[in-house]
Amino acid sequence: MNRRELLQGGAAAVSAFLPAPQRATTGNLSGISIDVLRVPDLVRIFTGTTADTTSVLQARGGRWSGSGVDLTYNVEQGRGVLTLDAQGVRLRRVHLRWNGTISERLTVLGDAWERSYGDLAWLPMQAERVLPWYCLVQDGAETHGFGVETGASAFAFWQVDTNGISLWLDTRNGGNGVALKARSLVLATVVTMQSLPGANAHQTAQALCRRMAPKVVLPKKRGKYSLGALYGSNDWYYAYGKNSPEGILRDAEVIREVAPSGAARPFTVIDDGYQDPKRFPGMQRLAEDIRRREVNPGIWVRPLRAPSTAASSWLLPGSRFGRHQERAKELAYDPTVPDARRAALDVVREAGAWGYDLIKHDFTTYELLGQWGNEMGPSPTVDGWSFHDETKTNAEIIREFYRDIRTAAGEDRIVIGCNTVGHLSAGLFDAQRTGDDVSGRTWERTRRMGVNTLAFRLPQHGIFFAIDADCIPITKDIPWNLTEQWLRVVAATGSVLLISPEPGTVGPEQKRAIREAFAQCAAQQTHSEPADWQASRTPTDWTSGSDHKRYDWLTEEGASPFPA
């Protein structure tokens, strides 16, 4: 079971090609330039309010014009800046195409729109495959990458096929064309990365992430809290919303007992369920009680969720859910309405006023765009709806809302995003839940979701934010030998480490393993990475320097063929 099911009632750059007009076929990547930093061979735009009208723009050097749109592509210092003017035109999408002949023997990896869903993988070339934000290609010896800088003003994805490379930029407002009016907008900045001498594919992916985040400077501390070691507890995977103050304080006591002495204090994070005042009569008092146990208090919030009493003019339209109209009963604020924005941010401010110094916010992508990341494909939202303010792109609206969450939380508090767009939150949030929910009831879900996101989004760790591959559920339903492996591999990467300890499951053996994992996390000296990620969606061979650790993620009966 995951959070969505519970809350819904169960429910290149690499071009292996030579610059046009030449079309020489190459069998590998050696000696091939990264050619998306040249003038594209084709630029198309898609205009209209709710449906596409397609136009091919006419090129004049690095400038394209037509149908009321001007687009420039200026390449300086190894970066290609795409700038748009579209006065009087509702712009929906921009498509850029670089032609060339690319070896079909390459394997390809992309990122995900928001969280991943156990689906990240190096795969043979698929012409129709959507590769959000960035892409890496590999020939068995070298790895190259291309992407757009973090903080872009459009949702961007790549395609790679034997005849060339495409970059798509979704500029819509909601599901309709954006009305930029007189604004000139930098849509995206294209960057590339060639294989570094002696670097493996994982290290090249890290280098590409650094190039995509030139303006991101991650702080070492938030107030008195070190960001180098984020560890502790979260109650979701044993309570699933049926939590209590007594259970939260029990978690804090368990965490205090196993936390390394002299290191940064751990956190106890209260998850969903505390909104019931009969069970939780005093949230400020509970934060104080956690702190008295020498543990830092944290809390989960859902800021865009609106009550049934909210003014209809403050709400996002139910039409954003498309065919999933049963979801429309979940009301959400439109952050482009000033009063609605304040109401959403008041949820964050309230958590801070109660005394919670780690704020984890959730559900914003789903509530803003009406889809989960694994439903988006080439279109992050459905057609036919708009935000109240129709002059900004979805990417701009989301980035601005994230910036306001950061401000509302305050610079001294830690902010973790969940169901948030990593490429738009980089540099704003301290940590990011990078994969869909694991499970305290079904190991198969943790194997698929947790291991996959840890391996394939680890290159972003410490560059965009600290990655959070989700909790380590310690429950009666999951065999300890599997849980212990999941605990150890997360600790070895130095990423966010939160356990979810069911009452009666943490005995001496568990305490010893948790204590070792927390100490490893707190030491901030671990750099494990997946060695076999090019061959498996759930890597088993993890390395730290010359040291190899092997994990066995399968149960005796093997992997389940059914949805997890």
Side-chain angles (χ1 to χ4, degrees):
M1 177 178 289
N2 61 41
R3 188 186 303 269
R4 297 192 308 279
E5 292 169 344
L6 187 69
L7 296 182
Q8 293 175 0
V14 143
S15 36
F17 60 79
L18 298 176
Q22 296 173 314
R23 295 179 60 84
T25 302
T26 58
N28 56 54
L29 298 176
S30 301
I32 302 301
S33 63
I34 299 175
D35 227 1
V36 293
L37 296 179
R38 66 168 175 85
V39 173
D41 296 295
L42 174 71
V43 175
R44 296 191 298 163
I45 59 166
F46 299 80
T47 57
T49 303
T50 61
D52 290 333
T53 298
T54 308
S55 303
V56 177
L57 300 189
Q58 300 302 310
R60 297 186 186 126
R63 186 182 186 92
W64 292 262
S65 301
S67 302
V69 173
D70 287 306
L71 185 75
T72 60
Y73 188 44
N74 292 324
V75 178
E76 295 180 2
Q77 299 180 333
R79 298 178 186 274
V81 181
L82 284 156
T83 306
L84 173 73
D85 288 281
Q87 295 189 34
V89 175
R90 291 276 195 156
L91 187 66
R92 294 169 56 79
R93 294 179 178 87
V94 177
H95 174 210
L96 295 89
R97 176 73 175 177
W98 292 266
N99 294 328
T101 303
I102 301 178
S103 169
E104 63 183 7
R105 294 186 288 111
L106 300 179
T107 55
V108 183
L109 172 67
D111 195 32
W113 286 124
E114 44 107 2
R115 294 175 301 181
S116 57
Y117 290 78
D119 49 3
L120 295 178
W122 288 92
L123 295 173
M125 186 186 300
Q126 299 169 355
E128 69 281 5
R129 185 180 175 193
V130 173
L131 304 163
W133 304 116
Y134 63 80
C135 175
L136 293 130
V137 296
Q138 230 272 347
D139 70 345
E142 295 185 16
T143 308
H144 296 304
F146 46 98
V148 299
E149 286 188 3
T150 58
S153 296
F155 276 75
F157 73 86
W158 300 84
Q159 285 177 283
V160 180
D161 58 63
T162 55
N163 293 332
I165 293 175
S166 288
L167 171 61
W168 290 81
L169 299 166
D170 189 323
T171 60
R172 289 177 298 165
N173 172 280
N176 296 338
V178 67
L180 289 178
K181 298 184 177 179
R183 281 199 304 140
S184 180
L185 181 64
V186 175
L187 286 181
T189 299
V190 175
V191 297
T192 62
M193 173 58 63
Q194 291 186 335
S195 221
L196 302 173
N200 60 31
H202 204 269
Q203 291 158 350
T204 302
Q206 285 180 308
L208 176 63
C209 288
R210 289 191 188 96
R211 185 158 291 182
M212 286 188 291
K215 299 174 184 177
V216 173
V217 178
L218 301 182
K220 294 183 179 179
K221 297 183 71 177
R222 287 285 181 196
K224 60 185 178 182
Y225 302 114
S226 169
L227 294 177
L230 293 176
Y231 65 105
S233 68
N234 178 296
D235 60 86
W236 179 255
Y237 291 108
Y238 71 84
Y240 284 105
K242 296 179 180 179
N243 47 7
S244 67
E246 295 76 21
I248 300 299
L249 295 177
R250 178 197 63 84
D251 290 352
E253 290 166 358
V254 169
I255 294 304
R256 178 187 60 189
E257 182 181 350
V258 296
S261 60
R265 283 187 179 181
F267 282 86
T268 284
V269 181
I270 304 172
D271 214 291
D272 197 14
Y274 64 85
Q275 299 90 342
D276 181 354
K278 293 181 180 179
R279 293 208 321 264
F280 289 85
M283 294 304 295
Q284 184 170 347
R285 173 64 182 272
L286 183 54
E288 294 168 355
D289 287 344
I290 293 171
R291 198 172 273 112
R292 273 193 285 270
R293 286 159 173 79
E294 300 179 0
V295 178
N296 303 317
I299 196 168
W300 177 97
V301 298
R302 186 174 173 177
L304 286 173
R305 179 167 51 188
S308 59
T309 55
S312 59
S313 59
W314 292 15
L315 302 177
L316 288 163
S319 55
R320 73 193 188 283
F321 292 113
R323 61 187 176 86
H324 297 290
Q325 279 304 297
E326 73 281 359
R327 298 175 179 176
K329 66 180 183 294
E330 301 177 56
L331 306 180
Y333 291 121
D334 181 341
T336 71
V337 178
D339 287 338
R341 191 184 197 88
R342 279 191 290 272
L345 296 173
D346 280 346
V347 175
V348 178
R349 296 188 187 100
E350 180 181 53
W354 284 340
Y356 293 90
D357 289 338
L358 182 153
I359 299 175
K360 176 183 175 181
H361 67 94
D362 200 353
F363 278 84
T364 51
T365 300
Y366 169 77
E367 284 170 331
L368 288 170
L369 300 180
Q371 297 189 118
W372 302 109
N374 59 346
E375 298 171 331
M376 291 177 176
S379 183
T381 189
V382 301
D383 289 331
W385 68 278
S386 293
F387 287 94
H388 179 80
D389 180 354
E390 300 181 29
T391 67
K392 295 177 181 178
T393 68
N394 293 330
E396 288 183 286
I397 290 168
I398 291 172
R399 176 76 174 178
E400 288 176 9
F401 185 58
Y402 289 170
R403 190 177 293 114
D404 284 350
I405 287 176
R406 172 77 271 170
T407 301
E411 292 300 318
D412 290 344
R413 288 189 177 86
I414 295 169
V415 175
I416 298 180
C418 183
N419 184 230
T420 42
V421 181
H423 234 70
L424 301 179
S425 69
L428 294 175
F429 302 153
D430 304 301
Q432 176 98 350
R433 259 284 305 281
T434 56
D436 196 14
D437 289 10
V438 298
S439 177
R441 298 174 181 172
T442 305
W443 167 251
E444 180 67 13
R445 188 170 182 86
T446 300
R447 185 189 75 84
R448 291 190 202 179
M449 304 298 175
V451 177
N452 181 267
T453 195
L454 181 66
F456 285 89
R457 303 189 95 175
L458 190 58
Q460 301 171 10
H461 180 59
I463 300 171
F464 293 176
F465 31 62
I467 75 159
D468 174 9
D470 208 2
C471 299
I472 289 79
I474 304 175
T475 71
K476 298 180 181 71
D477 293 327
I478 308 297
W480 169 244
N481 68 304
L482 297 171
T483 297
E484 184 179 18
Q485 291 187 91
W486 178 226
L487 171 69
R488 293 191 184 282
V489 73
V490 173
T493 64
S495 57
V496 177
L497 179 60
L498 298 173
I499 67 168
S500 197
E502 183 178 14
T505 62
V506 182
E509 182 180 4
Q510 287 74 26
K511 288 180 181 179
R512 183 168 55 253
I514 297 167
R515 186 176 289 111
E516 291 173 358
F518 280 2
Q520 188 173 16
C521 182
Q524 305 176 37
Q525 296 176 344
T526 52
H527 305 284
S528 181
E529 63 184 47
D532 58 340
W533 72 319
Q534 291 173 257
S536 173
R537 288 192 180 190
T538 53
T540 59
D541 184 5
W542 292 70
T543 65
S544 181
S546 59
D547 183 31
H548 281 253
K549 297 286 186 184
R550 292 196 64 84
Y551 302 91
D552 184 359
W553 305 120
L554 296 174
T555 60
E556 290 183 357
E557 60 270 21
S560 171
F562 300 100

